[in-house]
Amino acid sequence: MTYSLFHSSRSRRNGTFHNLESGIEEQIEALRDELAELTRLVSKSSRHQGDKIRGQASAGYEELLGRSEDLLRELQQGYERGATEMRATVRKHPLATIGAAAAVGLAIAFLARR
């Protein structure tokens, strides 16, 4: 009689453990499915954010390129104006220009000796 009491008790525990084990397996499978869905959503969101950032960077690059071209054009025009003014000054005052060049040359020679 004792044997049957323990046997029935074990079978109840094995049944309970089996139910518990199958419940845990179902929960693990559900978690795997949820994790896969979460991974898919994060991937989709990351791809969307990457495309958005890439678009913003491209627009910023185009704007920077346009501004640098404008700045280069302004610098070239300023250089051309300065060169034109320099030529006009040299033509109007040739002796003063030669004297200024000589003074600059002497200053450089003096500094080079030290």
Side-chain angles (χ1 to χ4, degrees):
M1 183 103 180
T2 321
Y3 178 76
S4 67
L5 253 179
F6 286 129
H7 186 271
S8 67
S9 174
R10 279 189 186 160
S11 70
R12 260 186 284 148
R13 276 190 275 167
N14 285 342
T16 304
F17 288 141
H18 178 68
N19 290 341
L20 183 61
E21 186 178 299
S22 66
I24 290 173
E25 288 176 357
E26 288 174 4
Q27 288 178 353
I28 289 173
E29 189 60 35
L31 286 173
R32 283 184 183 152
D33 292 343
E34 288 179 19
L35 186 58
E37 179 65 18
L38 182 61
T39 303
R40 187 186 67 77
L41 289 173
V42 167
S43 172
K44 183 179 177 182
S45 176
S46 297
R47 190 172 34 251
H48 176 70
Q49 288 290 17
D51 292 344
K52 183 178 176 181
I53 290 171
R54 190 176 302 113
Q56 289 173 346
S58 178
Y61 174 75
E62 294 297 326
E63 182 180 343
L64 181 63
L65 188 61
R67 285 182 181 177
S68 64
E69 288 173 351
D70 292 343
L71 181 61
L72 180 63
R73 200 172 12 260
E74 288 176 21
L75 288 172
Q76 286 173 338
Q77 290 171 352
Y79 175 76
E80 289 172 1
R81 278 193 306 267
T84 303
E85 289 176 12
M86 179 69 80
R87 284 188 203 107
T89 302
V90 169
R91 284 187 183 134
K92 285 182 183 176
H93 310 287
L95 293 177
T97 303
I98 292 172
V104 169
L106 287 173
I108 291 173
F110 179 72
L111 292 174
R113 283 188 180 186
R114 289 186 165 198

